[in-house]
Amino acid sequence: QKEVEQDPGPLSVPEGAIVSLNCTYSNSAFQYFMWYRQYSRKGPELLMYTYSSGNKEDGRFTAQVDKSSKYISLFIRDSQPSDSATYLCAMSDAGKSTFGDGTTLTVKP
Amino acid sequence: GAVVSQHPSWVICKSGTSVKIECRSLDFQATTMFWYRQFPKQSLMLMATSNEGSKATYEQGVEKDKFLINHASLTLSTLTVTSAHPEDSSFYICSARFPGRYGYTFGSGTRLTVV
């Protein structure tokens, strides 16, 4: 069993929709939770970072962490075609990060 | 801002030759850099952790003699794929942690095709 499981997708939504991306994990030592966005043929870029449980909002993006359920989510409001990319969750215990396999999102105009 | 510059962005080489990929941290010193491999529609697979001035730490199953990593300065790490074969064709990405920032800053990746 993988330490980090990510909803595989792919996901296709109309422009303006709310998108929910999710990951579960098994290692209770994870304290740092991140979401990366990766466009095709590019390296990932850090979108959101959360320490421990709670919510964090940045513009149209909201990251949620529920450590009791070992579940994290990324919500995208008012999705735009430019949000079309692969989203990777990642988590760490202050050491190396463990990545999910990614969810590919397509936002159709 | 924290930028990691990776070159080349793509390379095609003949089977049996060696290819060097460079990863530079711009505007900051990176004592540690990470090298990943990514297959299509799959996640990042950590290959090794590159430490400035010391030997790299390789993940289980990664051939250290095939994937040579050199971290000669605080701003430069290189990955050399030696005696490349078609099965080495992949997307290679480096990353570093910018001091005082969370998460990792990634390079733009190198697409290697071995023919």
Side-chain angles (χ1 to χ4, degrees):
Chain A
Q1 185 185 0
K2 292 181 181 178
E3 272 193 306
V4 177
E5 297 277 1
Q6 183 167 359
D7 286 355
L11 212 51
S12 181
V13 302
E15 184 175 356
I18 297 174
V19 176
S20 172
L21 304 166
N22 309 292
C23 289
T24 58
Y25 63 95
S26 57
N27 187 345
S28 58
F30 287 145
Q31 295 284 345
Y32 304 89
F33 304 91
M34 293 146 282
W35 285 95
Y36 290 86
R37 178 175 62 196
Q38 185 177 22
Y39 291 112
S40 182
R41 301 175 185 266
K42 297 291 185 183
E45 56 176 322
L46 181 65
L47 260 184
M48 299 285 288
Y49 171 90
T50 310
Y51 172 70
S52 198
S53 282
N55 293 357
K56 186 173 184 178
E57 189 173 321
D58 184 1
R60 298 184 294 109
F61 298 89
T62 300
Q64 284 187 352
V65 175
D66 182 347
K67 290 191 70 180
S68 62
S69 301
K70 296 188 177 67
Y71 188 88
I72 72 170
S73 299
L74 177 70
F75 296 96
I76 307 174
R77 289 186 302 279
D78 187 26
S79 55
Q80 303 294 308
S82 58
D83 296 328
S84 298
T86 296
Y87 291 80
L88 300 160
C89 64
M91 40 202 86
S92 75
D93 56 358
K96 293 177 293 189
S97 285
T98 301
F99 289 83
D101 285 344
T103 301
T104 298
L105 169 68
T106 301
V107 180
K108 296 182 176 179
Chain B
V3 174
V4 173
S5 176
Q6 185 172 346
H7 293 281
S9 56
W10 61 272
V11 58
I12 300 174
C13 71
K14 290 185 177 180
S15 188
T17 61
S18 296
V19 173
K20 180 184 283 188
I21 302 169
E22 290 190 352
C23 184
R24 293 181 184 272
S25 56
L26 306 181
D27 301 323
F28 72 102
Q29 295 180 333
T31 55
T32 303
M33 289 188 178
F34 304 89
W35 287 95
Y36 298 85
R37 184 173 181 176
Q38 187 176 35
F39 291 103
K41 300 187 187 299
Q42 294 187 28
S43 190
L44 302 167
M45 183 191 81
L46 180 64
M47 298 175 67
T49 301
S50 168
N51 302 296
E52 187 270 335
S54 65
K55 290 183 179 180
T57 304
Y58 290 82
E59 296 299 303
Q60 191 173 7
V62 178
E63 299 175 62
K64 61 179 70 174
D65 294 330
K66 180 166 190 61
F67 299 100
L68 300 179
I69 291 173
N70 188 326
H71 197 152
S73 76
L74 287 170
T75 59
L76 174 64
S77 176
T78 61
L79 167 68
T80 301
V81 183
T82 63
S83 186
H85 291 284
E87 57 265 31
D88 298 324
S89 299
S90 189
F91 193 54
Y92 293 88
I93 313 174
C94 64
S95 75
R97 181 175 281 150
F98 185 73
R101 288 183 62 164
Y102 305 117
Y104 297 91
T105 301
F106 284 85
S108 55
T110 298
R111 182 159 303 282
L112 170 64
T113 301
V114 185
V115 297

